[in-house]
Amino acid sequence: MNVSKILCVARNYADHAKEMGTAVPTEPIFFLKPTTALLPTGGTILLPPQSKRVEVETELAVILGTGGREVPADKAMTLVGGYSVFFDITARDLQAKAREDGSPWTASKGFDTFAPMSEPVPPEHVSDPHALGIRLKVNGIVRQDSNTRQMIFRIPHLIEAASQIMTLEAGDVIATGTPAGVWPIVPGDRLEADIARVGILRCTVAARNR
Ligand code: MG
């Protein structure tokens, strides 16, 4: 699969916005991850030496089968070519510093291996993407347990809003945000996330050597 961009949505679950102590947004907030951050399931997330606290966020990713620009919400679902389980890996300390300084999140979100993603399933497997159990286990213990119905902005709205900013292309990934329960990860951890009907994403964690 050829991914040309990874578009992530910040604070798209009310319970997560609350745990981060941030306001619930009135319009979707997007940021980009580089495609060099992609990691297939079974891969090892490498913790960079620049960060002391890296966290995992489990998200439903939408993979576009068709591109478009200024796509109205009522046509948006026709662009969807598949779904994956996605980890938005975040260097939380670097992000907190960026928030404080008013600087971009590029570093905190963009390290190599910070975008693990499961093999996509076709949209026919997922009758309603807004009613899926979403769960994360770290070393066998459940840390995130929610449902995609808790999303603030649903997929048609996300595609409409994103396509008003930039041209969307086939293969683009839209990570739709994380529910509450984001969890710090350390070397040796085993992560396993599942989203009903979409699949399972498994990763291990190791320190990256300089
Ligand atoms: Mg996220």
Side-chain angles (χ1 to χ4, degrees), residues 9 31 57 59 88 109 177-178:
V9 184
F31 62 91
E57 306 181 350
E59 311 197 358
D88 173 13
K109 297 283 193 176
T178 187

Side-chain angles (χ1 to χ4, degrees), residues 39-155:
L39 181 72
T41 187
T44 302
I45 298 160
L46 298 176
L47 305 180
Q50 295 94 324
S51 173
K52 298 261 179 298
R53 188 181 175 97
V54 175
E55 295 184 351
V56 55
E57 306 181 350
T58 307
E59 311 197 358
L60 173 67
V62 176
I63 296 99
L64 299 187
T66 319
R69 56 190 298 272
E70 295 182 2
V71 180
D74 62 358
K75 299 270 186 317
M77 293 309 281
T78 65
L79 270 59
V80 175
Y83 296 96
S84 287
V85 186
F86 183 91
F87 286 146
D88 173 13
I89 304 295
T90 305
R92 194 69 71 198
D93 50 354
L94 302 187
Q95 187 194 32
K97 176 83 168 56
R99 272 185 205 283
E100 220 175 275
D101 298 348
S103 35
W105 292 1
T106 309
S108 64
K109 297 283 193 176
F111 287 99
D112 289 1
T113 76
F114 270 30
M117 198 169 94
S118 68
E119 240 355 271
V121 296
E124 303 83 66
H125 285 220
V126 182
S127 53
D128 182 0
H130 304 104
L132 304 173
I134 177 168
R135 205 158 62 129
L136 166 70
K137 286 193 259 180
V138 181
N139 304 322
I141 301 168
V142 176
R143 298 300 184 186
Q144 292 191 283
D145 192 2
S146 187
N147 192 289
T148 57
R149 76 168 64 91
Q150 309 277 341
M151 274 185 208
I152 298 167
F153 303 110
R154 293 186 161 210
I155 294 162

Side-chain angles (χ1 to χ4, degrees), residues 145-197:
D145 192 2
S146 187
N147 192 289
T148 57
R149 76 168 64 91
Q150 309 277 341
M151 274 185 208
I152 298 167
F153 303 110
R154 293 186 161 210
I155 294 162
H157 188 150
L158 296 175
I159 291 174
E160 179 181 75
S163 73
Q164 285 169 2
I165 303 166
M166 62 189 85
T167 298
L168 300 176
E169 297 170 284
D172 284 355
V173 172
I174 302 176
T176 57
T178 187
V182 298
W183 195 256
I185 54 176
V186 296
D189 279 350
R190 290 170 295 110
L191 313 184
E192 184 183 301
D194 65 90
I195 299 179
R197 286 180 281 285

